[in-house]
Amino acid sequence: MKDRSMLLQKEMIAEHFRRLEAAPQTGEKVVYTFVPGNLTELIRSFGALPLLPEINALQSGMRGKSKGYIAEAEKAGHSADVCTYVKADIGMMMSGNIGPTGTKLPPPDLLLLSYTGCYTFMKWFELLREKYQCPTVFLQIPYQGDGTLLPEHRDYVVEQLRQDVIPALEKVTGRPYDEARLRELLALSARAEDDLVAVLHSAKQKPSPIDSYFGGVYYIGPIFSAFRGTPEGVEYYQALREEVEERAAAGEGPMTPSGRLDDQQFRLVVEGPPNWTSFNQFWEMFSDEGAVVVASTYTKVGGTYDFGFRHDPADPLGTLADYCGGCYTNHNLPGRIDMLVEYVRQYQADGFLINSVKSCNSFSAGQLLILREVEKRTGIPGGFIESDLVDPRYFSAANIKNRLESYFQMLRERRRAGGQAASPAAPPAAGRAP
Amino acid sequence: MSPTPDDPTAARARRQQIVAWARDLYEDLDFGSVHRWLAQAPGRKACGYLPVYVPREIIHAAGMLPVGVHGGGSMEIIRGDAYYQSYICHLPRSVVELGLTGRLKCLSAMLFPSTCDVIRNLSGMWQVLEPGTYVRYVDLPQVNEPARAVDFWRGELAHLLRDLSACTGRTVTDEDLWRSVAVYDEQRALVQDLYDARREQPWRIPSEELYLLLRAAEVVPVEEWLPVARDYLSVTAQDPGRPRDNARVVVVGAFCEQPPLGLLKTIERAGCYIVDDDLLLGNRLVQGAVPRDGDPLTCLARALLFQHRESSILYEPDPGAKMRSIPRRVEAARADGVIFAAPSFCDPALLDRPMLREGAEASKIPCIAFKYAENTGQFQQFREQAGTFSDSIKLWLGTRAEREQSAPQGGAR
Ligand code: SF4
Ligand code: SF4
């Protein structure tokens, strides 16, 4: 039987795509935007609907459609070397723009490009704009090169929201900016965020009632996509939290493709996005070995709530700037290392693993240094595997399974030799927590 | 010393001397010239930067020597590969190799501009790997509306100036800044003159020589480079060589990881004169002189926002501009075709390519495309491709001489 939260999520998504499909008739305006640094509350405060091309790309991957879409895009001249999310999205558009739930997706009324944590986003929307010939608005989010979002950078984001993004939304929707409405939506977001964080923190318990990577990607779905600032979002996270707390109280583990994982042999921290084309098979490689992921960085690409950030209705535009600046890949490499070290310590992990995806320079460039540094600072051996997000040509099941088996074997031997202590070799650097 | 006019032998000798000087600098991966400059006076400091664009005026005004770090060419990579997966371009691994072998110890500061996520993340790697070096990620303005970003970019320039002058212990005045602006204005003008001269007489200025000269500008003080480059222009005018019946091509996409010199030579020897390119683009991203109608930092900020040339590294707010870009460049260079040459795994160049190519094809501009790495050693495949391209252009369009004769004003396509 499916959990209530799962049913709720399914229904929310289906309803969202129904509204998107009907948008050309109903007149609801559609804003294409990206996950990291999305401005969902602001978009919704104008009564518009967000549509996230990355989510479509990953859904295409899970439903076995990305291979064909990528081939379409490559036939049209896109390089084999670049991000496969872009090609899956462009291929889907070239094939009639039928979305993941089988409904036709409307063209954008506005491309809202918030440039957070990834350079490719900029090119992606330049490419879409060529096809859709629709208005585009750009929000530059400065990178945390020095480890923080500097006050002048925060001001710059607020200024752009006021002067560029809000006027663009006003023009497209024909509605004036309504700050009171935005505050209401931000308050809803903060409630859902509290519940999400309680869910993520539950993995500190042994056994962990959740898998924070494979399960985690479902948990973050609504809050990272179209449902921040909605009553449905609040309801979903309440339901999810209740279920997780029940499991925690009963000492039960999460459901996995191998059944319920109560007997947890390894507690892992994972860096990097998952593979979507063989998602369950990939998950099984962990659950079959009794490995549960207790913390992951991928579940922070759309916000680092577990380090304390909440949307703040008292400062509507400032809080959106803080949110955008704080998304995971907008942190510099030392900040990412600190976060991983902190996870290993807080969640008492036995190991940490990097899944390096070919598509994503934003994540992948520098991961081998991250591996060394986290090993050095925690005293825990790291594992490294390679795959891709939605290009099945880069998921070599046998290869990955081999590597994982050797990694788990090494952790087992280490444990037998008495080295299983998860305490970090060195304390995390002070003042680095994002 | 420049030879006297009308002495082609002396001119040829001087040209060879200049090219040899530039080649030595290019091949010296130990940055000997930087070491020599540092040793000339106590307290001198140098500041490195990655491609594509950093405001060198700020480094100069702070009293540091700006040093372009453009990878390691064909150097052997021993440790750098251990930091990068196979699907990441070559440039960062050779930069890491240069760092780990101590060759960049001469740089007290390193700047990483927002060219792409690889260079962005390398900034954080440098913070970890080289803790004694001042490191800054230089977030260029990416905007819909340039006027909105002047304050942001001015703030970034001020921040950088503050930090670099703390490095050198200098108090930088507006006069210092204006002096630096003036000297880089001169350099920009001279680079433009060199490009113009090559466009007009590509046989006079082979791309290999032009490239070496511009690479020299990345490591020697600008004041030292300017007279040499002027000399080069003048001696090549005295001894221009003879035109060949080559096709004229624009090379697009090689703005970050630099192609091996052999690749440029191969393209030209295969029958294609390069008449415009993106190589070392940072030296001419800002076009023309910096305006003088405000304080120097604001003027520098305005120059980038309002006078930058189209490129893959800055957001393009004009929806049709990518499509128009290649026909415009081809027209301006009176070129016959385009070679899209991008580093393997280079997101900015490869993601732009379909848009640029579509624009070229819509205007019926012949194109070919290939990928390279800075350490590519085999050029046979490029020779064949460029040779066939040149032949097909000549076959279909006639030779340039014929076209120029038959065109009403000469030179038009
Ligand atoms: S490069 Fe990475 S972050 Fe950027 S669009 Fe692709 S998958 Fe997303
Ligand atoms: S070659 Fe391309 S991908 Fe590599 S660092 Fe340069 S811009 Fe980035």
Side-chain angles (χ1 to χ4, degrees):
Chain A
M1 211 192 81
K2 286 203 180 235
D3 289 332
R4 180 166 166 262
S5 65
M6 287 176 85
L7 296 172
L8 277 175
Q9 182 169 155
K10 209 169 159 213
E11 182 43 39
M12 283 155 71
I13 291 171
E15 173 57 19
H16 185 64
F17 278 96
R18 269 196 296 275
R19 278 175 74 181
L20 285 170
E21 186 178 31
Q25 288 78 47
T26 59
E28 284 193 292
K29 299 298 178 196
V30 177
V31 177
Y32 282 26
T33 194
F34 291 113
V35 169
N38 70 70
L39 303 170
T40 300
E41 298 88 348
L42 187 66
I43 296 169
R44 285 196 174 269
S45 76
F46 283 92
L49 295 173
L51 187 153
L52 298 110
E54 300 134 288
I55 305 280
N56 296 337
L58 80 84
Q59 291 281 352
S60 299
M62 286 183 117
R63 289 158 204 251
K65 294 193 170 153
S66 53
K67 186 176 172 195
Y69 292 155
I70 291 167
E72 279 292 315
E74 288 182 0
K75 238 189 299 166
H78 288 264
S79 168
D81 287 359
V82 301
C83 172
T84 52
Y85 267 6
V86 181
K87 287 183 286 186
D89 181 47
I90 286 182
M92 185 182 84
M93 181 180 71
M94 290 166 61
S95 315
N97 227 16
I98 303 300
T101 57
T103 58
K104 171 122 177 105
L105 296 176
D109 294 293
L110 177 71
L111 292 170
L112 167 54
L113 170 52
S114 65
Y115 182 76
T116 302
C118 162
Y119 174 90
T120 299
F121 289 139
M122 183 168 102
K123 295 284 144 198
W124 192 340
F125 268 16
E126 283 178 350
L127 281 158
L128 288 192
R129 189 182 57 188
E130 298 285 321
K131 301 293 168 202
Y132 288 119
Q133 308 279 326
C134 68
T136 310
V137 66
F138 192 107
L139 175 67
Q140 180 179 15
I141 311 294
Y143 183 62
Q144 294 199 6
D146 293 336
T148 52
L149 185 69
L150 300 173
E152 59 267 33
H153 290 169
R154 185 181 193 267
D155 293 346
Y156 175 50
V157 177
V158 170
E159 176 75 2
Q160 292 175 83
L161 287 171
R162 263 208 198 98
Q163 307 273 2
D164 295 324
V165 177
I166 289 175
L169 283 162
E170 285 180 328
K171 195 161 172 208
V172 161
T173 60
R175 292 193 193 189
Y177 171 54
D178 180 348
E179 193 154 284
R181 175 83 186 126
L182 177 59
R183 285 179 205 273
E184 283 167 24
L185 302 191
L186 290 166
L188 292 175
S189 294
R191 282 172 59 190
E193 288 155 6
D194 278 342
D195 288 335
L196 170 69
V197 169
V199 168
L200 295 173
H201 281 167
S202 74
K204 290 180 185 170
Q205 200 171 306
K206 293 181 182 176
S208 167
I210 62 165
D211 184 289
S212 219
Y213 186 52
F214 297 104
V217 300
Y218 290 100
Y219 304 156
I220 56 168
I223 216 160
F224 278 16
S225 59
F227 300 101
R228 245 181 26 229
T230 65
E232 302 93 297
V234 172
E235 190 187 351
Y236 168 80
Y237 284 100
Q238 263 168 0
L240 177 67
R241 181 175 180 169
E242 280 164 19
E243 287 159 16
V244 168
E245 284 176 350
E246 272 171 32
R247 281 208 296 276
E252 290 174 359
M255 277 310 286
T256 73
S258 326
R260 213 175 68 198
L261 190 60
D262 293 340
D263 179 17
Q264 299 176 355
Q265 293 295 312
F266 304 108
R267 296 167 61 80
L268 301 180
V269 169
V270 175
E271 144 77 16
N275 161 270
W276 301 111
T277 50
S278 304
F279 186 81
N280 277 342
Q281 189 187 4
F282 190 30
W283 189 352
E284 243 172 322
M285 293 179 196
F286 290 74
S287 52
D288 281 353
E289 297 272 356
V292 67
V293 181
V294 287
S296 67
T297 52
Y298 180 67
T299 51
K300 314 298 153 34
V301 283
T304 44
Y305 303 109
D306 56 339
F307 284 90
F309 172 79
R310 295 290 179 278
H311 281 91
D312 176 9
D315 178 14
L317 300 184
T319 202
L320 287 174
D322 290 333
Y323 162 73
C324 292
C327 289
Y328 176 67
T329 47
N330 208 46
H331 286 255
N332 66 1
L333 225 40
R336 286 170 61 185
I337 293 167
D338 289 342
M339 197 186 279
L340 280 158
V341 169
E342 186 76 358
Y343 281 154
V344 168
R345 190 182 62 76
Q346 281 188 9
Y347 289 80
Q348 301 193 354
D350 308 301
F352 77 95
L353 188 87
I354 293 178
N355 180 38
S356 175
V357 293
K358 174 184 172 285
S359 272
C360 186
N361 284 344
S362 173
F363 257 104
S364 304
Q367 277 176 329
L368 286 159
L369 179 74
I370 292 180
L371 178 77
R372 286 163 188 236
E373 289 298 309
V374 177
E375 279 187 340
K376 198 162 79 190
R377 284 174 49 187
T378 62
I380 282 180
F384 198 86
I385 51 177
E386 293 175 303
S387 65
D388 189 47
L389 295 158
V390 290
D391 192 335
R393 292 173 295 185
Y394 299 101
F395 186 82
S396 162
N399 208 325
I400 294 174
K401 196 165 168 38
N402 268 344
R403 282 208 180 200
L404 283 174
E405 280 173 359
S406 322
Y407 182 62
F408 291 128
Q409 185 56 29
M410 191 258 290
L411 289 184
R412 248 181 236 111
E413 277 162 19
R414 204 169 165 268
R415 179 174 293 166
R416 266 200 294 275
Q420 96 274 33
S423 58
R432 284 275 195 204
Chain B
M1 269 295 283
S2 213
T4 50
D6 302 325
D7 182 357
T9 314
R12 200 164 306 150
R14 177 65 179 143
R15 174 204 284 249
Q16 281 166 0
Q17 193 188 25
I18 292 172
V19 173
W21 166 80
R23 194 184 301 277
D24 283 350
L25 290 167
Y26 170 78
E27 286 171 354
D28 179 11
L29 292 175
D30 290 318
F31 294 88
S33 64
V34 177
H35 285 279
R36 286 193 291 280
W37 183 83
L38 290 171
Q40 276 163 16
R44 280 187 165 181
K45 293 199 167 151
C47 169
Y49 57 85
L50 273 279
V52 170
Y53 174 79
V54 299
R56 286 174 298 171
E57 294 87 343
I58 300 291
I59 306 172
H60 185 267
M64 295 176 107
L65 175 68
V67 178
V69 178
H70 294 281
S74 59
M75 81 187 284
E76 192 187 3
I77 306 294
I78 296 164
R79 297 164 73 186
D81 276 341
Y83 287 84
Y84 286 101
Q85 302 89 316
S86 56
Y87 42 77
I88 290 174
C89 63
H90 200 271
L91 174 90
R93 54 193 88 224
S94 66
V95 172
V96 167
E97 184 78 22
L98 289 170
L100 293 176
T101 50
R103 289 165 159 115
L104 301 178
K105 285 275 178 257
C106 53
L107 307 175
S108 306
M110 272 287 259
L111 308 183
F112 297 82
S114 58
T115 303
C116 73
D117 294 333
V118 173
I119 290 182
R120 185 196 67 180
N121 289 4
L122 185 53
S123 70
M125 291 174 69
W126 220 257
Q127 288 167 334
V128 175
L129 292 170
E130 304 285 343
T133 305
Y134 167 81
V135 171
R136 184 152 179 85
Y137 175 72
V138 182
D139 220 341
L140 302 179
Q142 306 283 4
V143 284
N144 257 18
E145 172 48 64
R148 193 99 58 241
V150 169
D151 283 350
F152 164 73
W153 184 235
R154 190 197 180 283
E156 295 304 290
L157 296 176
H159 190 130
L160 187 60
L161 182 63
R162 201 167 54 238
D163 288 1
L164 293 183
S165 40
C167 233
T168 52
R170 271 211 189 180
T171 307
V172 178
T173 63
D174 277 5
E175 285 67 43
D176 295 328
L177 277 164
W178 283 128
R179 257 194 302 279
S180 300
V181 167
V183 75
Y184 280 99
D185 273 351
E186 257 186 84
Q187 193 190 54
R188 269 186 288 273
L190 194 45
V191 169
Q192 192 55 51
D193 288 347
L194 286 160
Y195 268 73
D196 290 348
R198 182 184 62 169
R199 188 190 61 230
E200 296 309 313
Q201 295 177 299
W203 52 91
R204 167 183 155 198
I205 300 191
S207 291
E208 181 193 7
E209 291 186 7
L210 174 59
Y211 181 73
L212 287 170
L213 193 58
L214 296 183
R215 276 296 285 262
E218 298 289 307
V219 289
V220 300
V222 56
E223 296 82 357
E224 186 182 324
W225 182 83
L226 284 167
V228 181
R230 275 193 205 104
D231 239 14
Y232 178 83
L233 256 184
S234 114
V235 294
T236 55
Q238 290 168 48
D239 177 32
R242 271 210 300 274
R244 291 168 57 186
D245 183 28
N246 281 2
R248 294 166 62 92
V249 300
V250 179
V251 174
V252 175
F255 47 82
C256 181
E257 180 175 320
Q258 297 294 287
L261 211 46
L263 182 53
L264 301 181
K265 269 195 293 197
T266 300
I267 291 172
E268 294 211 325
R269 284 191 188 152
C272 297
Y273 280 135
I274 300 173
V275 287
D276 185 20
D277 61 54
D278 296 335
L279 300 161
L280 303 171
L281 186 64
N283 65 28
R284 57 199 186 283
L285 190 73
V286 170
Q287 302 179 91
V290 172
R292 309 289 163 102
D293 54 357
D295 75 278
L297 292 180
T298 306
C299 290
L300 263 173
R302 284 209 203 108
L304 179 65
L305 282 151
F306 294 104
Q307 292 169 216
H308 67 81
R309 69 178 71 225
E310 295 160 6
S311 76
S312 298
I313 60 160
L314 292 174
Y315 175 64
E316 176 51 72
D318 175 357
K322 295 263 174 201
M323 285 280 283
R324 292 193 301 270
S325 145
I326 297 294
R328 195 192 46 69
R329 284 182 73 176
V330 164
E331 187 63 36
R334 300 198 322 280
D336 303 313
V338 174
I339 296 181
F340 289 100
S344 295
F345 305 109
C346 177
D347 270 9
L350 293 170
L351 285 160
D352 254 4
R353 192 185 273 181
M355 290 181 276
L356 299 176
R357 193 159 183 164
E358 205 182 320
E361 282 166 0
S363 296
K364 303 206 167 14
I365 295 167
C367 307
I368 54 168
F370 50 68
K371 291 186 286 187
Y372 64 83
E374 60 177 356
N375 64 340
T376 300
Q378 295 293 327
F379 302 110
Q380 180 61 20
Q381 165 213 346
F382 303 121
R383 186 172 306 123
E384 282 166 14
Q385 250 185 298
T388 313
F389 188 52
S390 160
D391 290 345
S392 68
I393 284 174
K394 285 186 275 188
L395 191 66
W396 288 106
L397 302 179
T399 63
R400 170 145 292 274
E402 284 164 7
R403 291 195 304 285
E404 295 197 346
Q405 263 167 18
S406 63
Q409 268 107 42
R413 276 177 58 79

